[in-house]
Amino acid sequence: MPTGPAVPPGRPRLSVGFILAENFTLSAFSLFVDQLRLAADEGDLSRPINCQWTIMGSRPDPVRASCGVSVSRTSGFIDPKRFDYICVVGGILHAGKQVDDATMDYLRQAARAGVTLVGLCTGSFILARAGLMTGRRICVNWYHYQDFLNEFPHHHPVADRLFVVDGDRITCPGGGSVADLASYVVERSLGRAVAQKSRQIMVLEQARPGTAAQPHPPLADTIADERVRRALLLMEQHLADPLLIADIATRLQLSTRQLERLFQAVLGMRPAAFYRSLRLKYARWLLDNTERSVTDIALEAGFSDCAHFSRHFKALHGVTPSDIRLKGKPPMAGEDETAIAVAAGRFGMEMAGTRLFE
């Protein structure tokens, strides 16, 4: 495997190599590399003075992101000792092989050289497949928690934080948490002021620590039956435009009767009732935490009119949406925040990048 020259004495204080998997997540790559770009120079000039970045690949062909955008490498594999970090950017798990054998060999070479390896998004899967995460703490996205356990039953992943630093291995679940990890890396190498400057230009809020919680629906993680878990995820993804229970069953290759029986056995209620409770609890969170009108919230929670929404809301919460909005009533004691988190789900990630619940 070709390697480059030894580390030049005057190289930037922070040097990062990127390896992009097939169908990689573009946001994970761009959130990280853009903070490096802004940290590298004064203002927005993008000169690689304080830090540099290299996109490496075993082949000269551009790599296609999951969104369809292709990115070309800037170099073949070079001496891993030239980097402080090598980031593996993963993406779609089940769309074919993510990286080739030459890339796996290079990652093992980098590990032997003591370079810190970073798994972004499903990059943690790639590092684990290379045998480089044994005995390490691994942070994965809640959405892929069970996927990781299924493939690596002897590892111990966590899905309750934004990123995990375990010596010279760092793993990050992707999404907005990549911005927090990039800030951590920049601050670690170049100082807090430089990290703050990058975030401010990108209009990002204050960096969250790796121990901050992922905003995710934890209830789905506790469901052992894969079919029910998938049904819950479909419901959570379709709060504003509810699916018919028959459509959910079809997507899971089940009959409606089979899905009904599964929900009764696992959750003790029918899927339609559970689905409605998710939407109503999500509506309750919106009422308590936003200034949106009751009509807007009714539509956001998938109800066609306010009267229908208000009737079901009162049956579940004991008060009408208008009562809460007029009186500014605080959340009811004993409210099931787990269920609300399920209902809020990825909508929380798309909000201000902060936790839904403290």
Side-chain angles (χ1 to χ4, degrees):
M1 181 180 301
T3 58
V7 180
R11 77 165 173 85
R13 288 183 287 159
L14 174 58
S15 181
V16 180
F18 288 94
I19 294 174
L20 308 179
E22 293 294 333
N23 293 297
F24 71 97
T25 304
L26 185 62
S27 61
F29 170 62
S30 59
L31 279 171
F32 203 115
V33 77
D34 240 15
Q35 288 206 56
L36 296 179
R37 177 182 70 83
L38 293 166
D41 196 4
E42 295 293 331
D44 193 17
L45 298 177
S46 303
R47 296 173 299 177
I49 297 173
N50 295 319
C51 56
Q52 65 182 12
W53 50 96
T54 304
I55 305 168
M56 297 183 291
S58 59
R59 300 187 303 272
D61 313 295
V63 183
R64 183 182 183 277
S66 56
C67 65
V69 173
S70 293
V71 176
S72 298
R73 72 177 190 179
T74 59
S75 170
F77 291 132
I78 60 179
D79 184 353
K81 293 180 182 179
R82 296 182 62 177
F83 300 108
D84 300 296
Y85 300 87
I86 293 176
C87 297
V88 184
V89 187
I92 296 178
L93 275 179
H94 308 299
K97 197 171 184 179
Q98 289 183 292
V99 298
D100 59 17
D101 293 340
T103 301
M104 289 295 206
D105 290 341
Y106 180 74
L107 290 172
R108 296 184 186 107
Q109 178 190 353
R112 290 192 296 271
V115 179
T116 297
L117 301 178
V118 181
L120 302 179
C121 192
T122 61
S124 56
F125 284 72
I126 295 169
L127 294 179
R129 289 175 193 140
L132 302 175
M133 297 304 296
T134 302
R136 306 283 189 143
R137 292 177 298 147
I138 305 166
C139 186
V140 299
N141 193 299
W142 62 266
Y143 190 86
H144 291 302
Y145 180 82
Q146 193 61 46
D147 291 315
F148 196 94
L149 281 179
N150 291 342
E151 186 170 351
F152 308 105
H154 301 300
H155 287 68
H156 301 286
V158 297
D160 62 348
R161 56 189 62 198
L162 298 182
F163 59 88
V164 166
V165 180
D166 189 341
D168 55 4
R169 300 287 187 277
I170 302 176
T171 46
C172 174
S177 63
V178 175
D180 301 291
L181 173 57
S183 280
Y184 168 83
V185 168
V186 170
E187 181 170 342
R188 195 182 195 186
S189 302
L190 304 176
R192 185 174 184 182
V194 175
Q196 286 178 330
K197 174 245 186 180
S198 291
R199 292 186 68 90
Q200 287 168 354
I201 294 178
M202 293 180 69
V203 199
L204 295 170
E205 295 184 359
Q206 183 176 356
R208 298 168 294 177
T211 52
Q214 291 182 35
H216 72 296
L219 182 60
D221 293 343
T222 68
I223 303 300
D225 192 290
E226 177 66 19
R227 296 162 296 181
V228 176
R229 289 181 66 249
R230 288 174 59 201
L232 290 179
L233 291 173
L234 283 171
M235 290 176 179
E236 179 264 322
Q237 293 167 20
H238 292 273
L239 296 177
D241 55 337
L243 299 171
L244 296 174
I245 299 303
D247 290 340
I248 295 175
T250 299
R251 294 191 188 198
L252 301 179
Q253 298 182 323
L254 298 170
S255 70
T256 303
R257 187 183 295 273
Q258 286 175 312
L259 186 62
E260 295 270 356
R261 286 200 297 263
L262 280 171
F263 265 69
Q264 287 286 0
V266 175
L267 298 172
M269 60 194 306
R270 298 180 65 183
F274 193 89
Y275 199 176
R276 184 168 58 248
S277 73
L278 293 185
R279 291 156 50 214
L280 289 168
K281 286 169 182 174
Y282 177 45
R284 177 61 192 264
W285 187 87
L286 291 172
L287 282 163
D288 289 334
N289 293 277
T290 76
E291 298 299 322
R292 297 175 65 173
S293 71
V294 172
T295 300
D296 282 347
I297 290 172
L299 294 173
E300 178 72 15
F303 292 89
S304 58
D305 61 78
C306 280
H308 186 218
F309 169 56
S310 182
R311 184 170 64 255
H312 284 290
F313 190 93
K314 186 173 182 179
L316 180 66
H317 295 295
V319 292
T320 68
S322 297
D323 288 337
I324 293 175
R325 183 47 48 84
L326 290 173
K327 299 175 183 178
K329 185 181 171 82
M332 290 178 290
E335 183 69 274
D336 184 353
E337 290 190 348
T338 295
I340 301 175
V342 175
R346 290 192 198 93
F347 288 101
M349 294 182 180
E350 295 168 1
M351 292 180 186
T354 57
R355 293 179 59 186
L356 289 177
F357 306 102
E358 297 298 335

